[in-house]
Amino acid sequence: MKLVFAGTPEVAVPALDALIASGRHEVAAVVTRPDAPAGRGRRLVASPVAQRAEEAGIEVLRPAKPRDPEFLERLRQIAPDCCPVVAYGALLPRVALDIPAHGWVNLHFSLLPAWRGAAPVQHAIMAGDEITGASTFLIEEGLDSGPVYGTVTEEIRPTDTSGDLLTRLAFAGSGLLAATMDGIEDGTVKAVPQPGDGITLAPKITVEDARVDWATPALRVDRVVRGCTPAPGAWTIFRGERLKLIQVQPVPERTDLAPGALLVGKNSVHVGTGSYAVELLWVQAQGKKPMRAADWARGARIGDGETVGA
């Protein structure tokens, strides 16, 4: 088939690579978000998908909005059979959805209908799910509600951050997306409507969502930190400034600390929660680089009775 691939961030690159490498289909063009300011100089930088496409000599389309007439006209000229999508980042209007004969097929990083929305991996970790996966589905105008072509499953490991899990799903999902394209072409896969029950939503995680509530149990604190790493980054307040929490570890045997209370040892920093304590392993103070929590505590000279989160 002739394909137009839509995607923007690094997590979409493995799927693009898989489609290029398959040799079975032609990736005629790539649709991605416009170049965005990045770095200290705020210089305009192409998206990871755009960079990879340019390396491969593939045409790159960067519409400000996917309903722009010039973009829609170019898409009609290319006349793709199907448009595979991974984390493109913009809503597709009906007029665009109707152009390819086999529609737009999205690779979504959850087992639909669970965790429809922008942040399925983060929500799965924060909810304590043990299994997640990826799904390919036909895009409709509803939010991730279209019929599903196929799925792959992935175990959520006890120490997984959303970054760890998303990386594994990106590679597992790339094979699923390529196989879905093959199946659509030869008629061996059929999109099956999603069940009406089991629907959960995964809206974008806000900075406020990533603030740790020390009155919640230690397992919840751990899940919030892992689910919000690397973005937007879990955090708390210490001495009136934001302290980023990069890695913590529940300590079930330590039950003598009130929520938010700090206990600094020679090489450890513990914080009380609503159940038992957690140990801070890696943190980042405002304006500083990430560091081991024990080094941060020595530099901060934390006194008796100090707390986080107040």
Side-chain angles (χ1 to χ4, degrees):
M1 294 191 297
K2 182 186 286 187
L3 307 178
V4 170
F5 179 87
T8 298
E10 188 67 39
V11 73
V13 172
L16 175 58
D17 283 339
L19 292 171
I20 294 171
S22 76
R24 181 165 172 176
H25 310 289
E26 175 197 356
V27 182
V30 154
V31 184
T32 191
R33 300 293 291 149
D35 296 358
R40 290 184 177 178
R42 308 306 289 164
R43 182 173 56 91
L44 288 179
V45 175
S47 74
V49 163
Q51 293 178 39
R52 179 67 187 92
E54 288 168 350
E55 289 170 4
I58 297 170
E59 179 182 357
V60 178
L61 307 175
R62 298 176 172 88
K65 295 181 179 179
R67 62 173 65 254
D68 288 355
E70 289 182 6
F71 164 69
L72 293 172
E73 180 56 31
R74 180 60 187 137
L75 196 61
R76 291 188 189 99
Q77 290 172 357
I78 296 171
D81 297 300
C82 191
C83 294
V85 185
V86 186
Y88 169 47
L91 291 175
L92 297 161
R94 169 53 60 188
V95 64
L97 294 178
D98 288 341
I99 291 175
H102 294 286
W104 297 66
V105 176
N106 192 47
L107 173 64
H108 182 76
F109 297 116
S110 80
L111 297 175
L112 292 170
W115 303 128
R116 294 177 178 175
V121 173
Q122 292 94 324
H123 280 277
I125 290 175
M126 291 167 70
D129 292 357
E130 295 180 351
I131 299 291
T132 188
S135 307
T136 49
F137 72 94
L138 183 65
I139 294 180
E140 300 177 337
E141 289 184 281
L143 177 65
D144 299 335
S145 60
V148 173
Y149 283 104
T151 60
V152 290
T153 59
E154 182 71 33
E155 178 186 2
I156 300 179
R157 300 167 187 170
T159 59
D160 270 341
T161 65
S162 61
D164 298 332
L165 183 55
L166 194 53
T167 296
R168 296 204 306 276
L169 287 171
F171 283 94
S174 67
L176 172 65
L177 186 61
T180 299
M181 293 298 104
D182 295 347
I184 289 172
E185 182 192 33
D186 58 29
T188 57
V189 298
K190 183 180 179 181
V192 177
Q194 295 182 34
D197 55 356
I199 297 170
T200 49
L201 300 180
K204 182 179 178 180
I205 302 291
T206 67
V207 171
E208 193 55 39
D209 292 332
R211 183 172 184 170
V212 168
D213 180 358
W214 298 103
T216 59
L219 286 178
R220 172 65 181 169
V221 171
D222 176 54
R223 289 169 184 167
V224 170
V225 172
R226 291 189 294 113
C228 294
T229 300
W235 59 280
T236 189
I237 293 293
F238 176 70
R239 294 178 182 169
E241 292 190 337
R242 189 174 295 184
L243 178 69
K244 187 175 180 181
L245 305 169
I246 300 171
Q247 186 182 17
V248 304
Q249 179 175 289
V251 186
E253 60 272 19
R254 173 125 251 160
T255 59
D256 57 341
L257 292 176
L262 283 163
L263 180 66
V264 179
K266 185 177 180 181
N267 292 299
S268 64
V269 182
H270 292 92
V271 183
T273 75
S275 57
Y276 43 80
V278 298
E279 182 180 358
L280 303 186
L281 299 178
W282 283 85
V283 301
Q284 184 175 4
Q286 206 162 307
K288 304 285 187 179
K289 293 181 178 180
M291 65 179 70
R292 292 189 180 276
D295 296 335
W296 162 76
R298 276 191 290 271
R301 297 184 178 180
I302 297 171
D304 293 341
E306 288 201 79
T307 63
V308 288

